DNA sequence: CAGAATACCTGCGGGC
DNA sequence: TGCCCGCAGGTATTCT
């Protein structure tokens, strides 16, 4: 499900419901996510209040006074708020119930997500400490990207999807940003000029901002925390459009595998 | 070190 | 209808 815009959309949806809320109960139906969820989560969170929320890459951070709950949605995770507890469905793994009876439900069919507790500053956590820059921050610059592209043969699409370089850029937005930049996804990174990097950094920022504005991309089942889909799928130029004509030049959009991920591109617009 | 392959898991659509 | 295959928004870990 989620790349940065979907995680950001989720965060923005949760904030007004959960800021300063006190946890009354935690129901753990299944703890087998990518890493096991602490069986103590209920005791850890009981009667504790959420101080604030933030996001680092695709990780959601719920800050408590005594530690941080780190949540990653993996490929198929979602977090939704309910005012009355709905019937439990197959992949509803965790409920966090608050003092005002609002309920936060984590649902994740493929269980690639994670719910982890840390008492330490979250940015020191092993999963977060090696993350690269935030794509929407000022320090994601052409020069920054260019330095990483030097001497590397790796396809540029795989490089911009590497969270140790820049966070939050997944398969959809990497595909779209490269189309908008007119760069073929398989281009060896070291062939990019500083000018290319300039364009690519600009398009990544633009695509991500647009997608956040549209509430993210709903392909099949992404919903924000209030149960609404994202509308960016209507804006997609090449992702999922292989064998259809390019909107710009009408050449048939092609697809290839890069790092086992399908990568759509227009052979005319992207060289 | 870079880069490729593998692993985790369920659901869905297409071909037969 | 059912079975098998490939594919799906991610990324840590292991291999060469």
């Amino acid at each position: 499900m989620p790349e940065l815009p979907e995680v950001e959309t989720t965060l923005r949806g949760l904030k007004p419901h959960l800021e300063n809320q006190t946890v009354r109960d935690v129901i753990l139906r299944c703890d087998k996510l990518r890493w096991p969820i602490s069986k103590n989560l209920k005791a850890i969170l009981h009667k504790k209040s959420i101080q604030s929320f933030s996001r680092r890459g695709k990780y959601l951070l719920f800050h408590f006074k005594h530690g941080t709950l780190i949540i990653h949605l993996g490929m198929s995770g979602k977090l939704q708020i309910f005012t009355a507890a709905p019937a439990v469905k197959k992949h509803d793994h965790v409920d966090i119930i608050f003092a005002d009876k609002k309920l936060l439900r984590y649902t994740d069919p493929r269980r690639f997500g994670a719910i982890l507790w840390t008492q330490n500053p979250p940015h020191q956590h092993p999963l977060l400490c090696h993350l690269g820059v935030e794509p929407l921050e000022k320090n994601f610059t052409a020069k920054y990207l260019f330095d990483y592209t030097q001497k590397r043969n790796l396809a540029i699409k795989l490089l911009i999807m590497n969270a140790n370089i820049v966070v939050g850029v997944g398969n959809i937005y990497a595909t779209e940003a490269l189309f908008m930049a007119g760069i073929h996804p398989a281009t060896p990174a070291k062939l990019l000029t500083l000018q290319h990097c300039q364009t690519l950094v600009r398009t990544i920022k633009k695509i991500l901002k647009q997608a956040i504005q549209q509430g993210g991309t709903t392909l099949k089942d992404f919903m924000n925390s209030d149960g609404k889909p994202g509308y960016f799928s209507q804006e997609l130029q090449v992702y999922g459009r292989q064998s259809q004509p390019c909107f710009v030049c009408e050449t048939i959009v092609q697809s290839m595998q890069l790092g086992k991920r399908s990568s759509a591109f227009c052979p005319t617009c992207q060289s």
Side-chain angles (χ1 to χ4, degrees), chain A residues 42-97:
Chain A
K42 176 172 172 156
I44 290 169
L45 298 184
H46 185 62
K47 288 192 177 168
K48 307 294 188 193
S49 298
I50 302 180
Q51 306 290 300
S52 61
F53 292 89
S54 60
R55 174 186 63 70
R56 177 74 176 105
K58 297 172 190 167
Y59 293 90
L60 288 162
L61 306 177
F62 291 33
H63 303 279
F64 292 77
K65 271 189 182 147
H66 63 317
T68 304
L69 192 64
I70 302 172
I71 300 185
H72 195 289
L73 300 174
M75 285 281 249
S76 58
K78 64 184 167 191
L79 281 170
Q80 286 183 281
I81 294 280
F82 298 98
T83 44
V88 173
K89 298 207 291 292
K90 193 169 179 184
H91 302 292
D92 296 339
H93 306 315
V94 183
D95 286 353
I96 299 178
I97 301 153

Side-chain angles (χ1 to χ4, degrees), chain A residues 165-178:
Chain A
I165 298 172
V166 56
V167 296
V169 183
N171 204 32
I172 296 177
Y173 301 112
T175 298
E176 291 294 306
L178 286 163

Side-chain angles (χ1 to χ4, degrees), chain A residues 25-218:
Chain A
D25 198 8
V26 175
I27 299 172
L28 237 189
R29 296 188 195 83
C30 170
D31 61 13
K32 293 181 185 58
L33 299 189
R34 176 148 198 191
W35 295 278
I37 303 174
S38 167
K39 308 241 190 227
N40 295 326
L41 196 60
K42 176 172 172 156
I44 290 169
L45 298 184
H46 185 62
K47 288 192 177 168
K48 307 294 188 193
S49 298
I50 302 180
Q51 306 290 300
S52 61
F53 292 89
S54 60
R55 174 186 63 70
R56 177 74 176 105
K58 297 172 190 167
Y59 293 90
L60 288 162
L61 306 177
F62 291 33
H63 303 279
F64 292 77
K65 271 189 182 147
H66 63 317
T68 304
L69 192 64
I70 302 172
I71 300 185
H72 195 289
L73 300 174
M75 285 281 249
S76 58
K78 64 184 167 191
L79 281 170
Q80 286 183 281
I81 294 280
F82 298 98
T83 44
V88 173
K89 298 207 291 292
K90 193 169 179 184
H91 302 292
D92 296 339
H93 306 315
V94 183
D95 286 353
I96 299 178
I97 301 153
F98 295 90
D100 71 348
K101 298 194 179 168
K102 271 183 189 159
L103 180 150
L104 177 67
R105 177 164 288 176
Y106 179 84
T107 306
D108 186 1
R110 293 178 72 180
R111 289 188 274 121
F112 287 168
I115 299 181
L116 301 165
W117 176 256
T118 181
Q119 291 175 280
N120 302 319
H123 298 286
Q124 291 175 14
H125 191 279
L127 290 176
L128 306 196
C129 66
H130 295 117
L131 292 179
V133 300
E134 288 285 335
L136 297 178
E137 298 288 318
K138 288 217 165 75
N139 55 359
F140 181 48
T141 62
K143 179 68 166 55
Y144 173 88
L145 181 62
F146 185 64
D147 284 347
Y148 275 105
T149 61
Q150 296 303 290
K151 298 184 218 163
R152 299 191 66 174
N153 251 324
L154 194 66
I156 185 59
K157 175 162 177 273
L158 295 176
L159 190 130
I160 61 175
M161 289 177 70
N162 181 347
N164 294 327
I165 298 172
V166 56
V167 296
V169 183
N171 204 32
I172 296 177
Y173 301 112
T175 298
E176 291 294 306
L178 286 163
F179 173 78
M180 190 186 270
I183 298 170
H184 193 292
T187 309
K190 65 180 177 191
L191 297 187
L192 294 204
T193 61
L194 182 59
Q195 194 59 242
H196 284 127
C197 291
Q198 186 87 258
T199 307
L200 187 50
V201 164
R202 207 176 306 145
T203 58
I204 289 172
K205 288 176 190 275
K206 191 166 178 182
I207 291 277
L208 292 176
K209 280 183 194 164
Q210 275 181 12
I212 291 169
Q213 267 182 351
Q214 301 287 315
T217 299
T218 296

